[in-house]
Amino acid sequence: MNNGRFAISVHILTLLAVSEDEWTSSEYLAGSININPVMVRKELGNLRLHGLVASKEGKSGGSRLAKPASQIFMSEIYEAVKQQDLLGKGINSPNPACPVGKKINEHLDNLYEEAEKTLLLSLGKKSLAEFAKKFN
């Protein structure tokens, strides 16, 4: 989520939600997001892999939602784009002789897991349809 893919994917899916059943081109999506269409197509491929988007090639092609926006939850989008831990990982090896160092990574892992569960619970309560209504 901290790499921008979540925001890009939510933007794409929101545009598709407000376009309803129309096929929307990656060029149009890229113009709205103000990024290169290649990046949009990459995200569309990932969203298609996760069953959130359907795509059709050709001149009259494009992308649209694979299921109703009311059945897509923000937690699904997060899971589709998640690449790394929400809060990251420690990059050093703490001193195992230190009373804190020997257990810090274990306790941080538990803390991170709790935080991510809370995030997923919160995101799981909001559908893409609810989010897209903000733009009507």
Side-chain angles (χ1 to χ4, degrees), residues 16-62:
L16 297 179
V18 300
S19 298
E20 297 187 21
D21 291 330
E22 293 177 32
W23 293 101
T24 305
S25 73
S26 56
E27 287 78 15
Y28 176 81
L29 297 169
S32 177
I33 303 168
N34 202 23
I35 62 173
N36 189 303
V38 172
M39 290 179 66
V40 169
R41 286 190 281 275
K42 180 180 177 190
E43 287 307 319
L44 286 168
N46 181 56
L47 295 170
R48 192 171 40 257
L49 255 164
H50 286 87
L52 301 174
V53 168
S55 296
K56 180 172 104 173
E57 291 187 27
K59 188 172 181 159
S60 63

Side-chain angles (χ1 to χ4, degrees), residues 13-129:
L13 292 168
T14 302
L15 285 167
L16 297 179
V18 300
S19 298
E20 297 187 21
D21 291 330
E22 293 177 32
W23 293 101
T24 305
S25 73
S26 56
E27 287 78 15
Y28 176 81
L29 297 169
S32 177
I33 303 168
N34 202 23
I35 62 173
N36 189 303
V38 172
M39 290 179 66
V40 169
R41 286 190 281 275
K42 180 180 177 190
E43 287 307 319
L44 286 168
N46 181 56
L47 295 170
R48 192 171 40 257
L49 255 164
H50 286 87
L52 301 174
V53 168
S55 296
K56 180 172 104 173
E57 291 187 27
K59 188 172 181 159
S60 63
S63 298
R64 64 181 183 194
L65 296 179
K67 56 186 176 180
S70 61
Q71 295 176 16
I72 297 173
F73 289 87
M74 302 306 257
S75 56
E76 288 177 82
I77 302 167
Y78 173 80
E79 291 282 9
V81 301
K82 178 183 165 188
Q83 288 184 309
Q84 53 195 348
D85 294 312
L86 177 65
L87 298 174
K89 286 279 186 189
I91 57 172
N92 64 332
S93 297
N95 181 349
C98 172
V100 172
K102 67 182 176 186
K103 293 248 181 193
I104 189 72
N105 285 334
E106 176 186 337
H107 294 303
L108 282 174
D109 287 347
N110 292 338
L111 180 68
Y112 295 168
E113 192 176 307
E114 264 181 59
E116 190 156 47
K117 282 180 185 176
T118 301
L119 173 66
L120 285 168
L121 276 172
S122 177
L123 292 174
K125 293 176 184 174
K126 183 167 292 283
S127 72
L128 178 62

